[in-house]
Each structure stands twice: as structure tokens, then as C-alpha cells.
Amino acid sequence: MAEEDGQERTEEPTPRRLEQAREKGQIPRSRELSTALLTLGGSVALVSMGAGYVDTLLELMRAGFALEWRDIFEPTRPAQALGHALLTMLGLLAPFLLLMWVLALLAPIAIGGWNWSAESLAPKWERLDPLTGIGRLFSLHALAELGKALAKFLLVGSVAIWVLHDAEPELLGLAAEPLPLALAHAGTRIGELALWLAAPLLLIAGFDVPFTLWQHAKELRMTLQEVKDEMKDIEGRPEIKGKLRRMQMEFAQRRMMDQVPGADAVIVNPEHYAVALKYEAETMKAPKVLALGIDEIALRIRALAGASGVPVVESPLLARALYYNAKIDRDIPVALYLAVAQVLAYVFQLRADHELPGAPIRMPEVEVPAGVRTE
């Protein structure tokens, strides 16, 4: 019955629904992707810059322990030493922190794009409803989160145990190494451990990203009735109606202009009217109107006809009669058969004799019946 009533959410979200969701801050986000990229980026930074970090920290330690006892009682000397140490640490950590900040921004943008929504900052009081909270505990989303948490625990834990077990002799041997070498060695091993831990996180993110996109699309699906209501709402707006009308007119004009180069003749009033006609004796029972217009559109038809080599015939009475009585993509009115036949016969004869002029053709005014004549 739900499907018959149109209440089943089977329809893909419309562009307006997607736009409204973004305005509310409802966009796909994968925390697993963020965690994986941050872990991977941090571990790569530790491996590549770990030795430099250790050397700088050793220098700071030596400088701190090298203070003479007299310097401690100087009012400015301890503050200078502390300030120097803080600036050195800031310069040391700045590239790492900048990398983490960039990755923290890129990871969410990667699947949901950049979005700012003040509405998402507003408190949602419905989340305080205990019944709703209990329902969320047993939802598909909660089960998926539980599955991801268990997968992370098992995969990351297994990889950590394996890496630590493999590196056990090396780690125990650090105690026998000189302090600078042991610190550098330990920093490298920590970075390598982080790299190994990033691998299962990337695997989990590879499953989580498609699931997040599918779940987001599923949440935004609409019922058939919602789609119909939205279309009625959009079509009922005056600005939308006006835009649709303008688009339809522009499309019709483009289509009409595209047909002008295929016309057999363009009949014009020298300044204001233009009508493009086509006639094929084998397939048409009467000449057909391909394009018509006045003023600016008439000038465009004339210009396009001239550029395409279509004959332009000046016949003011016939041009006005065709404009007011004929329709685009329709046969000309029966009352104008004879007048149009005279013009086309004249044009076809000039073409057969290869005497078509480049300028508009001036011919004696043809007889236009009084019933369709427009002065």
C-alpha cells in the first residue's frame, strides 16, 4: 500500500532537494577518511622529518642544561632562554601542524565539497528526545558505526601487535645505544609504526566512503508525491515561470535560426519583416515556413540568409501577409499559395539560370488576397 500511495522513498533527490540539504549542512562526511589521511600524513611527516626533530630537541636540551647558575638569577636571562626554546619549537612544529591542518580540511572536502551552513550550528532539540535517541541506537547507521569500530579495533590492533612483535629485538636494543642515536632510532620506528597503522585505516575508509555516499543519497530520496509537490511549487512561482518562458523563447529562436540556411527564399519587407520559406515538390504539398520575425529578428534572418547564400526577395505585401497569417514549421495559408508560388518560381528560375544576385531581389509586387492582406 505504501508504494501505491506514493509514500515509498524511491525517487532520486531533485537539485532543489540537494540544495536545501546543503543549506542545512546535510552533506556526506567520512570520519574514517579524515582519520586515515591524518594518520598517513602524520606518519609520513614523522618518518621524513623525525631525524631533524630529534636533533633540534637535543640542541634545546643541551642549551637548557648549559645555563650557568649565575644566569638563573638574571631577571631577563631565563625568559630569553624560554622564549628562544618556544620559538624554536614553534618553527619545528609549524610544517607538521600546517600539514595536519591542510589534511583536516581536504579530507571532508574530498567527498562532500566545501560548504558553510549557519543552520547546522543551531541546536536541534529533537535530539534530546529519549525515544528518538533509543531509535538511533538500533538504526542502520548505529550498526554501521559499531561494525567500523570493531573493524578498526581488530585490524589496527592486529597490525600493531604484529609490528611491535617484529620490532621487539630492535626496540629492546635501544637501551644499549647512545642517547642521540637511540632517540633518532626510536623516532623512525614510531613513524614506521604509524605508517603500518595507517594501512588498515585506509582500507576501512575505502569501504566507508562509498557507504557514506550511498547512505546520504538514501536519506535524501523523495516520495513520488514530494517530487510532484516540488514541481508544482516551482512551476507556480512567477519568477520561475518567467525564466521558463524566456528559455523556451530562446530555444525556439535558436532552433528557428538554425533552419534559415536550408531555406529556398527569404521574403522581406525591406526593413521590418522577414519570412524564410522551404519547398520540395517531391515531399511537400505546399511551401513551409522555417522562420519568421520582425525588426531585430528580421534583420538577423536576413543577415543569416545572406551569409548562407539564401536568396532574399523584397515583397512587402507578401512578407506582412505571411508574418501575420503563417506559423513556423507549418504550411503557408491556402490563400497565399499563388503569391508564394510566383515568388518561388521566379527564384528557382534565376537559380537554374545561375543568375541569382548577391543583393536582395526586387520583383514586381505579387497579388495578395484582400482577406490576408495587412497594410
Side-chain angles (χ1 to χ4, degrees):
M1 291 298 294
E3 291 184 352
E4 292 177 1
D5 295 336
Q7 297 304 311
E8 196 71 23
R9 294 187 177 275
T10 56
E11 305 302 314
E12 293 298 321
T14 61
R16 186 185 179 200
R17 178 66 174 266
L18 294 174
E19 182 181 355
Q20 290 175 339
R22 292 189 68 86
E23 291 174 356
K24 296 177 181 178
Q26 190 178 355
I27 53 178
R29 290 286 186 252
S30 173
R31 286 181 292 181
E32 308 306 327
L33 179 62
S34 300
T35 303
L37 289 182
L38 288 172
T39 304
L40 180 62
S43 58
V44 170
L46 284 175
V47 170
S48 59
M49 298 184 290
Y53 285 173
V54 170
D55 292 340
T56 304
L57 290 174
L58 286 174
E59 290 297 326
L60 287 176
M61 291 179 66
R62 292 192 185 100
F65 286 112
L67 285 174
E68 296 184 4
W69 66 272
R70 296 182 185 87
D71 294 335
I72 298 176
F73 297 100
E74 289 289 333
T76 59
R77 185 72 178 103
Q80 290 176 351
L82 179 61
H84 174 71
L86 291 175
L87 289 176
T88 303
M89 287 296 298
L90 181 62
L92 181 67
L93 295 176
F96 179 80
L97 296 177
L98 179 62
L99 175 63
M100 294 295 99
W101 180 74
V102 171
L103 291 176
L105 286 179
L106 290 180
I109 293 175
I111 62 171
W114 174 262
N115 187 55
W116 167 257
S117 172
E119 188 172 345
S120 62
L121 301 176
K124 295 179 175 60
W125 303 111
E126 64 272 13
R127 293 186 177 272
L128 300 179
D129 186 355
L131 296 178
T132 305
I134 293 173
R136 286 198 299 269
L137 289 177
F138 299 97
S139 64
L140 178 62
H141 179 73
L143 292 176
E145 292 297 324
L146 177 61
K148 287 186 290 185
L150 291 175
K152 281 194 290 185
F153 175 76
L154 293 175
L155 289 175
V156 176
S158 300
V159 170
I161 292 172
W162 174 71
V163 173
L164 291 174
H165 181 268
D166 183 66
E168 180 182 1
E170 188 176 354
L171 294 176
L172 293 177
L174 293 177
E177 296 179 355
L179 181 60
L181 183 60
L183 289 176
H185 202 174
T188 302
R189 294 303 297 175
I190 291 173
E192 292 175 354
L193 174 62
L195 276 174
W196 279 107
L197 295 180
L201 293 177
L202 286 173
L203 180 63
I204 295 173
F207 286 98
D208 182 62
V209 170
F211 176 77
T212 300
L213 295 174
W214 171 81
Q215 187 178 44
H216 177 71
K218 182 174 180 293
E219 291 174 352
L220 294 182
R221 282 179 186 170
M222 306 170 67
T223 64
L224 186 59
Q225 188 61 42
E226 286 176 335
V227 175
K228 292 179 179 179
D229 292 341
E230 182 177 299
M231 293 303 298
K232 289 180 181 179
D233 182 49
I234 292 175
E235 293 174 355
R237 296 181 182 180
E239 64 272 16
I240 299 297
K241 284 185 175 181
K243 185 177 181 180
L244 289 175
R245 281 196 296 268
R246 287 194 299 272
M247 291 176 63
Q248 290 170 350
M249 290 178 61
E250 291 173 0
F251 176 77
Q253 285 187 8
R254 285 197 298 269
R255 182 176 176 275
M256 180 180 71
M257 292 300 178
D258 290 341
Q259 296 188 91
V260 172
D264 288 318
V266 173
I267 301 176
V268 301
N269 172 313
E271 295 181 359
H272 301 290
Y273 298 84
V275 181
L277 300 176
K278 177 73 175 178
Y279 179 64
E280 295 178 354
E282 297 81 4
T283 59
M284 297 180 180
K285 65 177 183 179
K288 186 172 76 170
V289 178
L290 299 184
L292 55 80
I294 61 173
D295 298 331
E296 183 180 349
I297 297 178
L299 292 175
R300 289 172 57 191
I301 293 174
R302 289 188 61 169
L304 190 56
S308 305
V310 177
V312 176
V313 181
E314 292 185 357
S315 182
L317 288 178
L318 181 57
R320 289 195 296 269
L322 284 169
Y323 177 80
Y324 287 108
N325 295 279
K327 294 182 180 180
I328 298 174
D329 289 332
R330 301 284 183 86
D331 294 344
I332 63 172
V334 176
L336 294 174
Y337 275 11
L338 180 58
V340 171
Q342 294 176 8
V343 172
L344 291 180
Y346 186 69
V347 170
F348 290 158
Q349 184 62 47
L350 291 176
R351 180 179 288 132
D353 297 338
H354 302 286
E355 295 180 359
L356 282 175
I361 300 172
R362 293 181 175 86
M363 59 177 293
E365 190 69 69
V366 296
E367 182 66 26
V368 176
V372 291
R373 178 179 298 190
T374 303
E375 300 295 341

